[in-house]
Amino acid sequence: MSQRAAIQKVWDGMIPIELQLAAADAIELLASAVLPDPFQTFYMLIPRINYLPFITGRVKEQWLDPMLALSGVRAVDGMTINESDIWFEYNGQPLRWHYPAGLLYDMLVSNVAHGEPELPWSLTLHVRKFPARKLIPQPSTQQMRDMFMAMIKEADFIRNGSTKRVMDLAKSDQMQLLDGLEAHSFEKYYAIHSIIVPLHDAKAVVVSSGSKARSGLPKAIPLKFYMLSGQEEAKDSTQPDISQFHVSQLPVPLTKEGSEPMTVADAFRLSYEITDTSGNAFITNCACLCQGITIPWETPITWLTDNLFYADCFLHLVVVNVK
């Protein structure tokens, strides 16, 4: 399988979700907590690599608007639903809309590391009382596009020491990248992504760090680890709390001293400044998730970033206790 084909398989990864309208919102909209047939539940597939603001339009168009139009019951004349007021909740936790959907799933579905995922993913949809203290306000497709471009520039700076590759894109190329992401069109997205992050020979990573042969390789890997604080105390908890996750972001070099390829375990030790042997025992008791896949700790980080990156060009790795 070519690298492009492998990347597309990751791109095509989906999560089936089950949406139910919050009872309080249903009462406000329809004067009843019981939704009319056949609108009680809405099912859809969402891309792992994509963001919630890019699906709210479809939810509104295919579920909420027809429900209101056909119900014939309105709590207040002229009441409307704005996409920027829509937010999602899982087990009482508002979902951070600027995180990729797959990352949210890996963080919050506590049994995903044990190979028993919750499918479909049952979410509650809200259209009122946006939790501005917990979420960035006013989610919209345009704000998500703006934030995504900022993330792409950050990743470019980490990889290359500047944002030149992104800043040199023509306006039409930037729009194609964003349109491809929003519409989940791999062809549109990848045509521009391959300019920002060109393919390289993974075997070149073993060349010494001082060699000119490394000129085509990135300076560092854009990577974030997400780890639940107090893993030992939280290991028996049935529901992780997203606010309790510690996020560690550090530019990770491609190789260790001696030019050996950097592994996931090496990157984890570097990110959390682990130098003693107790860190090795901790790693043994944990699983590392990326794109819903349990990643062996000895996996070279360059292979991971070439094949399992998210659309923002970062590696998002979730560390969970499995013992």
Side-chain angles (χ1 to χ4, degrees):
M1 180 186 296
S2 68
Q3 185 175 341
R4 186 182 187 280
I7 292 171
Q8 184 164 6
K9 278 189 172 293
V10 173
W11 174 273
D12 290 339
M14 296 282 183
I15 302 173
I17 66 170
E18 173 189 72
L19 290 177
Q20 293 183 333
L21 184 62
D25 294 13
I27 291 173
E28 184 173 344
L29 289 171
L30 305 171
S32 172
V34 180
L35 302 184
D37 289 331
F39 298 104
Q40 288 90 349
T41 307
F42 185 72
Y43 294 93
M44 65 186 303
L45 289 172
I46 61 172
R48 270 191 145 270
I49 55 85
N50 225 320
Y51 300 86
L52 296 175
F54 292 149
I55 71 167
T56 53
R58 185 150 55 109
V59 171
K60 184 175 182 293
E61 178 183 346
Q62 297 181 7
W63 184 36
L64 299 177
D65 287 347
M67 177 178 63
L68 293 178
L70 295 176
S71 68
V73 179
R74 301 295 293 275
V76 179
D77 289 340
M79 181 175 288
T80 60
I81 298 174
N82 298 315
E83 288 186 26
S84 60
D85 293 329
I86 295 176
W87 55 284
F88 300 82
E89 178 186 74
Y90 175 64
N91 283 354
Q93 300 188 62
L95 297 183
R96 297 177 180 179
W97 55 265
H98 59 294
Y99 281 17
L103 172 60
L104 290 169
Y105 184 80
D106 290 348
M107 293 172 71
L108 295 176
V109 182
S110 58
N111 58 358
V112 68
H114 300 278
E116 300 173 355
E118 176 187 336
L119 296 173
W121 192 19
S122 183
L123 305 179
T124 301
L125 183 132
H126 295 261
V127 296
R128 294 290 186 265
K129 299 180 179 178
F130 190 91
R133 292 187 177 183
K134 295 185 176 181
L135 300 179
I136 299 173
Q138 299 294 313
S140 66
T141 55
Q142 186 56 54
Q143 187 173 359
M144 188 65 251
R145 289 164 74 103
D146 292 342
M147 290 186 70
F148 181 79
M149 286 306 301
M151 297 172 194
I152 286 286
K153 291 175 185 176
E154 182 182 3
D156 189 27
F157 185 85
I158 293 171
R159 292 181 66 88
N160 303 302
S162 75
T163 59
K164 189 176 188 309
R165 288 183 188 269
V166 175
M167 297 303 293
D168 283 352
L169 291 176
K171 184 65 175 179
S172 59
D173 289 338
Q174 293 184 32
M175 294 301 293
Q176 178 177 329
L177 180 76
L178 293 168
D179 290 345
L181 177 67
E182 183 176 346
H184 195 58
S185 169
F186 179 75
E187 297 300 331
K188 283 185 176 181
Y189 169 86
Y190 189 73
I192 309 304
H193 170 86
S194 59
I195 298 173
I196 302 172
V197 186
L199 296 179
H200 62 264
D201 182 3
K203 295 180 180 179
V205 175
V206 299
V207 179
S208 74
S209 58
S211 171
K212 294 181 180 180
R214 287 178 54 90
S215 60
L217 296 173
K219 296 177 181 295
I221 301 299
L223 180 151
K224 296 180 182 180
F225 280 105
Y226 302 78
M227 185 171 68
L228 196 62
S229 299
Q231 283 271 19
E232 290 301 321
E233 291 78 10
K235 63 184 179 181
D236 294 327
S237 174
T238 58
Q239 175 55 51
D241 184 341
I242 195 169
S243 67
Q244 298 301 314
F245 274 88
H246 177 268
V247 182
S248 176
Q249 178 178 344
L250 188 71
V252 175
L254 278 66
T255 60
K256 299 182 290 185
E257 293 183 7
S259 301
E260 293 183 22
M262 181 76 67
T263 67
V264 175
D266 295 327
F268 181 79
R269 294 188 189 97
L270 181 65
S271 296
Y272 287 93
E273 300 181 344
I274 297 173
T275 58
D276 56 23
T277 56
S278 63
N280 295 329
F282 178 80
I283 289 174
T284 302
N285 292 330
C286 290
C288 182
L289 297 174
C290 185
Q291 299 285 7
I293 302 168
T294 302
I295 304 299
W297 286 103
E298 65 273 16
T299 304
I301 208 72
T302 50
W303 182 92
L304 211 59
T305 196
D306 286 345
N307 294 279
L308 294 182
F309 61 86
Y310 276 82
D312 61 1
C313 299
F314 273 85
L315 277 177
H316 296 285
L317 305 177
V318 180
V319 178
V320 294
N321 195 305
V322 294
K323 294 292 181 68

